[in-house]
């Protein structure tokens, strides 16, 4: 059988949840502090996916303006019942547990109903035959006096209309005893209800375990050989595999979508794109599922050339605010304008819009007019981890500056180019050598360079490991995009091309 592409959804796309409706598949993933939040991807063959929209398109739906980095929109579940799509998600340190609905998954999605009093993460939504709605979640308290305490997997019946909890939440089977039981999903199949969870933490120890019972409330009996999926202590190219959701695939076989990373380096390795969405096949033996190890099947080249000749598409994201509130497209001139507002890339809401880095090797570029401001091209993991190249007009011509910021440290390099439009470049590539050396013990190197009027200046080649899932404190991934720090900066075009082959 042809393998599905893996990663299935490349780049910053963790915590996938999937639903099938009339032969079409929909996946949503986590977005944390970015807006629009919770992208919705659609496919009919499970191989080709298109982003059809986002659940959180209006800032008040997720209300991220004050959420700390690392919080925000965590781990959604998408389900469908009686013609209505549901996305349930928690916004820790924000709105809490919220249920959104839509009849068209491309949107618009509702304003959201808060399930007041539900304190935890990774909510699942399931209905029994009588129509009772069950929310099963991970009782990791991220709000209130007991922050950090973990109550294991919890369940509560809810009234989705009013948002009321209909009983005291109760504990359920919580795995084999590894840390952070989370990402629960409930499924009815044959005579059983299955409770599938992740445990071991979202890093190298991650895995998927499962139990089954006679009702959605249990009692649950554990699979005799959990975990049913994990890459822990293996040399597989896809690591941290866990946080899965099951669906029946196009050929009738059960598929699990899940998160994983693609580390590069040596025994210590680094995953520049963050946690991505992967897929693997699941076999049923004696009414128990067992998942195949996740294999890598990268796509051929990815090209993305944005020309600013229409409204911003749904793949642009910005930090704690909508991209449209940061940047304006001037269609008549095919330009994007960003007006600086005093916020920098190290601040909580920079004047920055970007797109997910989709391939580990990437070449990105933009041409800027800095006659009225200062700005450039950046790769951002979060406000503490970013590399950028920017241009500023001087009396003599153009000053270009490359900068690398990691917690507590910032280094910069500068060079000069003639006046006029400047093309800024930010490229990433795997280490050039396969020979055992310190050079190859990292994920990639990021090169920052610029050109104007036929002259070129190469400013920096920086180890990429500091912008990776293993080093950044946040749960996001790399986002490459455009920003302004002074005045008004105009960008003509944004290109991001790459390949993992
Ligand atoms: C999410 C948890 C996890 O809530 O990481 O890998 C957390 N899984 O289930 C943030 O994505």
């Amino acid at each position: 059988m042809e393998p599905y592409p893996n990663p299935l959804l490349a780049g910053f796309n963790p915590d996938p949840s999937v639903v099938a409706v009339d032969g079409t598949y929909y996946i949503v993933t986590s977005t944390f502090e970015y807006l629009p939040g919770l992208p919705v991807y659609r496919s009919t063959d499970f191989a080709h996916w298109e982003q059809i929209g986002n659940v959180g398109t209006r800032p008040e739906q997720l209300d991220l303006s004050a959420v700390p980095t690392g919080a925000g929109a965590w781990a959604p579940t998408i389900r469908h019942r009686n013609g209505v799509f549901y996305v349930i998600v928690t916004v820790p340190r924000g709105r809490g547990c919220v249920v959104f609905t839509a009849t068209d998954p491309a949107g618009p999605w509702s304003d959201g109903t808060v399930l007041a009093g539900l304190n935890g993460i990774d909510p699942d939504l399931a209905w029994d035959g009588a129509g009772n709605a069950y929310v099963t979640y991970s009782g990791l308290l991220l709000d209130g006096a007991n922050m950090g305490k973990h109550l294991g997997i919890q369940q509560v019946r809810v009234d989705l209309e009013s948002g009321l909890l209909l009983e005291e939440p109760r504990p359920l089977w919580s795995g084999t005893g590894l840390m952070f039981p989370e990402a629960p999903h409930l499924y009815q199949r044959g005579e059983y209800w299955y409770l599938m969870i992740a445990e071991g933490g979202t890093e190298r120890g991650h895995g998927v375990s499962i139990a089954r019972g006679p009702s959605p409330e249990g009692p649950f009996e554990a699979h005799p050989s959990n975990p049913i999926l994990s890459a822990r202590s293996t040399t597989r190219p896809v690591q941290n595999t866990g946080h899965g959701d099951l669906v029946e695939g196009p050929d009738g076989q059960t598929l699990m979508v899940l998160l994983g990373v693609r580390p590069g380096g040596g025994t210590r390795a680094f995953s520049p794109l963050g946690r991505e969405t992967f897929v693997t096949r699941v076999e049923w033996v004696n009414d128990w599922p067992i998942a195949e190890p996740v294999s890598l099947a990268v796509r051929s080249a990815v090209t993305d050339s944005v020309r600013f000749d229409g409204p911003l598409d749904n793949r642009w994201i910005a930090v704690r605010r909508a991209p449209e509130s940061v940047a304006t497209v001037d269609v008549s001139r095919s330009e994007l304008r960003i007006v600086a507002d005093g916020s920098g890339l190290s601040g909580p809401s920079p004047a920055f819009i970007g797109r997910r880095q989709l391939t580990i090797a990437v070449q990105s570029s933009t041409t800027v007019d800095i006659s009225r401001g200062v700005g450039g091209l950046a790769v951002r993991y979060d406000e503490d981890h970013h590399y950028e190249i920017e241009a500023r007009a001087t009396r003599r011509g153009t000053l270009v500056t490359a900068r690398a910021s990691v917690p507590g440290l910032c280094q910069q390099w500068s060079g000069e180019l003639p006046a006029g439009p400047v093309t800024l470049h930010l490229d990433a590539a795997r280490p050039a050598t396969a020979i055992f050396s310190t050079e190859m013990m990292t994920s990639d190197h990021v090169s920052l360079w610029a050109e104007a009027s036929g002259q070129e200046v190469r400013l920096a080649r920086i180890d990429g490991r500091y912008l990776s899932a293993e080093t950044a404190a946040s749960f996001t991934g790399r986002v490459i995009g455009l920003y302004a720090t002074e005045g008004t900066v105009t960008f003509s075009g944004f290109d991001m091309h790459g390949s993992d082959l």
Side-chain angles (χ1 to χ4, degrees):
M1 238 176 296
E2 267 292 286
Y4 291 114
N6 252 349
L8 191 68
L9 302 171
F12 160 40
N13 273 302
D15 310 326
S17 174
V18 62
V19 70
V21 180
D22 299 332
T24 302
Y25 299 91
Y26 303 92
I27 293 180
V28 290
T29 59
S30 296
T31 38
F32 307 96
E33 59 269 27
Y34 281 94
L35 283 175
L38 310 173
V40 181
Y41 300 94
R42 179 180 65 196
S43 177
T44 50
D45 60 5
F46 231 87
H48 301 89
W49 291 86
E50 179 198 3
Q51 188 179 339
I52 56 168
N54 293 280
V55 175
T57 50
R58 305 181 301 284
E60 59 280 11
Q61 286 171 292
L62 293 169
D63 192 13
L64 302 178
S65 52
V67 297
T69 293
W74 279 43
T77 293
I78 186 166
R79 295 292 182 256
H80 181 264
R81 186 168 192 268
N82 296 340
V84 178
F85 287 85
Y86 293 80
V87 166
I88 184 168
V89 66
T90 46
V91 186
R93 318 285 298 280
R95 282 189 88 189
C97 187
V98 195
V99 184
F100 298 100
T101 55
T103 46
D104 180 352
W109 288 79
S110 66
D111 293 340
T113 303
V114 173
L115 301 184
L118 193 150
N119 193 351
I121 60 165
D122 300 4
D124 171 78
L125 185 56
W127 292 265
D128 68 9
N132 294 304
Y134 285 90
V135 176
T136 308
Y137 60 99
S138 169
L140 174 61
L141 308 183
L142 290 179
D143 263 317
N146 289 320
M147 198 158 81
K149 194 169 175 188
H150 204 310
L151 305 177
I153 301 297
Q154 303 271 304
Q155 187 180 69
V156 64
R157 275 182 303 113
V158 303
D159 175 19
L160 290 170
E161 284 292 312
S162 63
L164 288 177
L165 308 191
L166 300 177
E167 58 190 343
E168 272 298 303
R170 62 203 127 68
L172 292 190
W173 177 80
S174 296
T176 65
L178 298 180
M179 66 178 180
F180 297 125
E182 58 193 14
H185 289 301
L186 268 185
Y187 312 95
Q188 189 175 20
R189 184 179 190 273
E191 58 182 292
Y192 294 111
W193 281 82
Y194 292 84
L195 171 61
M196 191 170 84
I197 70 163
E199 54 175 338
T202 194
E203 293 84 20
R204 294 290 190 271
H206 219 193
V208 176
S209 296
I210 200 160
R212 69 185 184 195
S215 86
E217 302 182 19
F220 291 102
E221 162 210 1
H223 189 300
S225 49
N226 277 320
I228 60 166
L229 177 91
S230 182
R232 66 179 78 116
S233 300
T234 69
T235 54
R236 290 183 201 141
V238 185
Q239 289 287 319
N240 303 19
T241 51
H243 202 122
D245 195 8
L246 300 176
V247 73
E248 186 179 305
D251 55 9
Q253 186 172 14
T254 302
L255 299 176
M256 183 193 294
V257 297
L258 70 159
L259 73 79
V261 297
R262 291 185 277 164
T267 54
R268 278 156 297 175
F270 306 93
S271 309
L273 304 191
R275 300 172 304 160
E276 307 176 272
T277 290
F278 292 84
V279 61
T280 196
R281 293 177 186 274
V282 172
E283 301 288 349
W284 292 87
V285 181
N286 299 330
D287 288 328
W288 283 116
I290 191 89
E292 284 177 15
V294 180
S295 57
L296 201 56
V298 294
R299 285 168 216 260
S300 47
V302 173
T303 57
D304 188 14
S305 277
V306 183
R307 285 296 160 261
F308 303 125
D309 45 14
L312 293 174
D313 69 29
N314 60 23
R315 286 184 289 153
W316 287 103
I317 49 180
V319 192
R320 295 187 175 82
R321 43 184 171 159
E324 294 77 15
S325 72
V326 175
T328 316
V329 178
D330 182 341
V331 176
S332 66
R333 302 166 64 101
S334 296
E335 283 176 353
L336 181 87
R337 201 175 329 119
I338 302 185
V339 180
D341 57 6
S343 61
L345 286 170
S346 297
S349 305
F352 165 89
I353 67 167
R355 292 160 99 75
R356 291 166 176 79
Q357 182 180 333
L358 302 179
T359 51
I360 291 170
V362 74
Q363 294 92 47
S364 66
S365 61
T366 186
T367 298
V368 285
D369 172 351
I370 34 91
S371 54
R372 293 183 297 143
V374 178
L377 178 65
V379 55
R380 178 185 194 276
Y381 214 96
D382 57 36
E383 61 263 40
D384 293 331
H385 303 82
H386 46 91
Y387 303 160
E388 62 265 14
I389 179 162
E390 69 189 28
R392 165 193 297 273
T394 65
R395 248 176 290 151
R396 295 214 308 237
T398 301
L399 179 71
V400 278
T401 301
R403 197 176 297 113
S405 298
V406 298
L409 295 172
C410 177
Q411 185 170 352
Q412 63 182 41
W413 303 260
S414 291
E416 288 188 359
L417 284 172
V422 193
T423 302
L424 303 174
H425 295 266
L426 188 158
D427 302 337
R430 287 262 196 223
T433 172
I435 299 165
F436 193 77
S437 63
T438 51
E439 162 82 9
M440 65 161 283
M441 298 299 250
T442 190
S443 50
D444 63 331
H445 290 91
V446 176
S447 299
L448 299 168
W449 58 286
E451 55 187 330
S453 308
Q455 284 186 40
E456 191 178 298
V457 55
R458 296 202 162 250
L459 294 172
R461 179 173 176 272
I462 312 163
D463 192 322
R465 78 179 68 187
Y466 308 108
L467 271 63
S468 75
E470 288 76 10
T471 48
S474 52
F475 282 125
T476 57
R478 283 196 196 164
V479 175
I480 298 181
L482 312 171
Y483 71 97
T485 53
E486 289 177 34
T488 301
V489 181
T490 307
F491 301 85
S492 45
F494 172 70
D495 287 89
M496 182 153 52
H497 307 314
S499 138
D500 291 320
L501 297 177

